[in-house]
Structures are given as structure tokens and as C-alpha cells.
Amino acid sequence: MKNIYANFVDGIGNTPLIKLKGPSEKTNCNIYGKAEFLNPGGSVKDRAAWAIIKDAEQKKLISKGGIIVEGTAGNTGIGLTLIGNSRGYKTIIVMPETQTQEKKDTLKSIGADLRLVPAKPYKDPNNYVKYSSRLAEELKKKNSKGVFWANQFDNIANYKGHYETTGQEIWGQTEGKIDAFICSSGTGGTIAGVGTALKEKNKNIKIVLSDPKGSSLYNHIKNGELKSEGNSITEGIGSSRVTKNFGQAPIDDAYSINDTDALSVLFELLEKEGLNLGTSSGINIAGAMKLAENLGPNKTIVTVLCDTSDKYRSKMFNKKFLTDKGLPFPKWL
């Protein structure tokens, strides 16, 4: 049967589950990854971008010739720009200058108006998210077609998109035989949407957060306190606050995952299973393995393979960078 799509956007979602053989064998569980890197924009964030744009269109907040403004660490910006291109919108992306050069280059090459700002904590008025909100307000005065601030962190169209698509897909693909879902949180949209959808089907399914070092969410779940420890080379995941999307997530437990474990599993999957995944996928899979060990054998666990390593090449395959940080590197470097 041929899949013929009317447009680019129809290609978002319905991604396969891939059994992760190494992690499954090591834990005597079935660990599956939802292959979100197969979305047309290359990441799980295509889903949030489309859900947010669709919601704005339904509310008549934007029309052809309008502008989407967003503060993003990269992938949501890519999704918004590509979908914006296909719907007749311009896209302005505000990004911390600390993100990888690969992400900056990708955004520029697909036509985003990229504005780089110094990295500031969320409480600072010049934090990239707050800066993007102010920019959208200023531009609204000059554009009659609509200037729309996507606000991926606190716009709950994000989590609703995952509730309607990702969560339902995982339930169908596993035929309801799923014991746990685990992933990291950037905006919180994925874990909230998938978690809510799965809990509605079966309240016994465990929903677990896999949190990188340097994020405050692990401590928030375990101890009710937003406190961070350590740091991570991962980008786009972890948070110092509870976003409106994350606040919707029905989370049962959390693991704090270090970069060494995340990178080790990524390099092994690349070498032995041909899976070329980015850093947040490593946090997710290492978390899934810890969860599998705790749940015991023969359980079915699903996590998210967010994107590929292409956007993190200058970190993940940079022997000097990794060695300086005391992190493992692939033996073929």
C-alpha cells in the first residue's frame, strides 16, 4: 500500500517502535524506542510544533503572511520553521548562543530568522524564552496577518498533541501490553501527553521521568524541591521550573541519569544496531534500562528516540571535548 501525503505536515507522526536489542537483552525486558527521528523535520518536536500551529490556526491567531516567534534550544525551532514554510508563515527563532553550531546552521539554512542571545537563567528577563515573548508583542503592532508566540513550554496545545497522537500510537503498537513509559522532559509535552493517554487506558502503567544531571525535575519528583545537582552536555532537556505542560504529567517515579551512562549506550547502539541517536535519546534509554532492572524481567517498556546525532556531532564525536569532560568516546575516533 502506498502512503501518499497531500503535504509535508501529513508525514508527522505514526512513527514505528524499534526494539532495542542490546538494552533488552541486558535487562531481560522488552525495551522499545519510538522512532521520532523519522518525523520529516528529524525530531519529536515536529509533533509539538504542528500541534501548536494547528491550535493557533483554529483560534485564528495567525494567517498567511503572519509570523511565528519562538524561544527554543533548536528542534522545536526547526519543526516550526519547516511547518511555517509549508503554511505560508515566516519564523523568527530566539536561541541561546550556547547551542551547537549544527543547530544554528540548520535553522539558518531552512530560512529561519535566527536571533542568538546570551544564555541566561529563566528568572532573568533576558532569558531566551522571555526575550521571544517580548519580541512577539513588539512585532504584533506592525503585522496585520498575526504574530504568534508559540510558547512551547507553557502552551498546553503541546501536551494535547502528544495525548492525541503519540500516546494513542504507543498504546496501539504495543496492543495495550505495556508496563511503563519513560522519557526526559524539555517542555514536558511528551511525558505529559503520553502519560495521560496511557494512564487513561490502564492506570497501572508506570510513567517515569529520566532526567539529566543539572536539571531540577528529578528532585522535584522525588523530594518536592526544585534543586539541581551536577551538569550535562545534553541540550533541550531538563528544567529549573515546572512548566504548564510538565504540570499535566502523571509521573510515578524519576531517575537521574549521568552523561557517561547516556553516551555509553548511544555509542553501543550506533556500533551494534546502526541506530544513530542524539544525546537526549541516550538519557531516555539509560533511564529505561534502570527502570527495567527495577521492574524485573519480561516487562515491556517504551521510551522516545528523539532525534539523530547529526545536530550534536561537534560534541558527541569530538574526542578532545569528551576527554576534557571525563566522558567516554567512541572507540573508532
Side-chain angles (χ1 to χ4, degrees):
M1 189 178 129
K2 288 182 178 148
N3 281 348
I4 299 176
Y5 298 135
N7 54 45
F8 161 85
V9 166
D10 286 353
I12 296 171
N14 292 311
T15 55
L17 283 184
I18 298 174
K19 185 164 185 181
L20 305 175
K21 286 192 297 208
S24 296
E25 282 163 13
K26 277 181 187 157
T27 58
N28 291 315
C29 280
N30 295 307
I31 298 178
Y32 294 96
K34 186 92 167 113
E36 291 298 296
F37 59 86
L38 293 174
N39 281 306
S43 88
V44 65
K45 295 297 188 179
D46 284 7
R47 292 191 193 251
W50 176 222
I52 286 167
I53 289 175
K54 193 162 50 171
D55 182 64
E57 289 177 350
Q58 285 163 356
K59 291 174 177 166
K60 303 209 169 359
L61 299 174
I62 193 166
S63 59
K64 271 198 173 159
I67 300 170
I68 301 163
V69 182
E70 182 59 325
T72 162
N75 279 330
T76 305
I78 292 163
L80 288 169
T81 303
L82 292 172
I83 297 164
N85 289 352
S86 80
R87 313 289 289 178
Y89 312 134
K90 288 192 172 66
T91 312
I92 300 174
I93 299 299
V94 179
M95 195 162 87
E97 59 196 9
T98 48
Q99 301 303 294
T100 62
Q101 192 60 42
E102 293 93 325
K103 283 187 190 167
K104 296 171 193 169
D105 293 343
T106 301
L107 282 160
K108 284 184 196 159
S109 67
I110 60 176
D113 177 351
L114 180 63
R115 316 276 179 98
L116 295 174
V117 294
K120 302 275 186 191
Y122 184 74
K123 60 180 184 278
D124 191 297
N126 288 317
N127 168 272
Y128 71 105
V129 176
K130 291 179 176 171
Y131 183 98
S132 68
S133 167
R134 284 201 306 276
L135 181 62
E137 283 305 314
E138 281 165 35
L139 294 170
K140 269 181 194 168
K141 299 166 194 163
K142 307 172 203 158
N143 188 304
S144 59
K145 307 290 186 186
V147 176
F148 169 63
W149 181 44
N151 188 18
Q152 58 171 328
F153 294 92
D154 294 310
N155 181 344
I156 59 168
N158 174 351
Y159 116 85
K160 285 179 178 167
H162 284 287
Y163 169 82
E164 288 162 7
T165 67
T166 327
Q168 312 301 329
E169 288 168 31
I170 290 169
W171 177 258
Q173 286 168 315
T174 58
E175 297 174 335
K177 296 179 182 77
I178 169 173
D179 297 291
F181 173 77
I182 182 168
C183 75
S184 52
S185 171
T187 64
T190 306
I191 196 164
V194 174
T196 305
L198 293 176
K199 286 278 193 192
E200 254 178 34
K201 306 279 191 190
N202 175 358
K203 65 180 192 318
N204 296 321
I205 296 171
K206 292 265 182 287
I207 306 300
V208 182
L209 174 72
S210 193
D211 207 33
K213 297 290 179 191
S215 169
S216 303
L217 297 177
Y218 167 77
N219 258 316
H220 169 69
I221 298 295
K222 296 299 267 189
N223 310 310
E225 184 187 5
L226 281 165
K227 188 172 134 213
S228 73
E229 287 157 14
N231 52 49
S232 173
I233 66 163
T234 58
E235 296 183 10
I237 56 171
S239 184
S240 60
R241 68 185 180 103
V242 174
T243 65
K244 285 207 173 112
N245 282 294
F246 187 78
Q248 307 284 334
I251 296 173
D252 296 299
D253 203 356
Y255 294 105
S256 180
I257 304 296
N258 64 55
D259 285 350
T260 297
D261 289 349
L263 288 168
S264 299
V265 77
L266 287 176
F267 298 147
E268 193 163 312
L269 281 168
L270 182 51
E271 185 186 8
K272 296 186 176 161
E273 300 183 41
L275 281 164
N276 172 32
L277 303 168
T279 47
S280 48
S281 302
I283 298 287
N284 289 351
I285 300 160
M289 291 171 76
K290 277 198 173 180
L291 176 59
E293 281 155 16
N294 282 357
L295 289 181
N298 305 315
K299 296 289 192 285
T300 295
I301 296 165
V302 175
T303 191
V304 179
L305 311 180
C306 312
D307 62 3
T308 65
S309 72
D310 300 357
K311 299 185 200 86
Y312 316 96
R313 206 177 289 128
S314 55
K315 287 182 174 181
M316 278 181 69
F317 303 104
N318 179 339
K319 193 171 174 180
K320 183 178 186 318
F321 172 82
L322 293 168
T323 310
D324 286 351
K325 292 197 173 297
L327 294 170
F329 56 84
K331 57 178 182 248
W332 56 88
L333 282 188

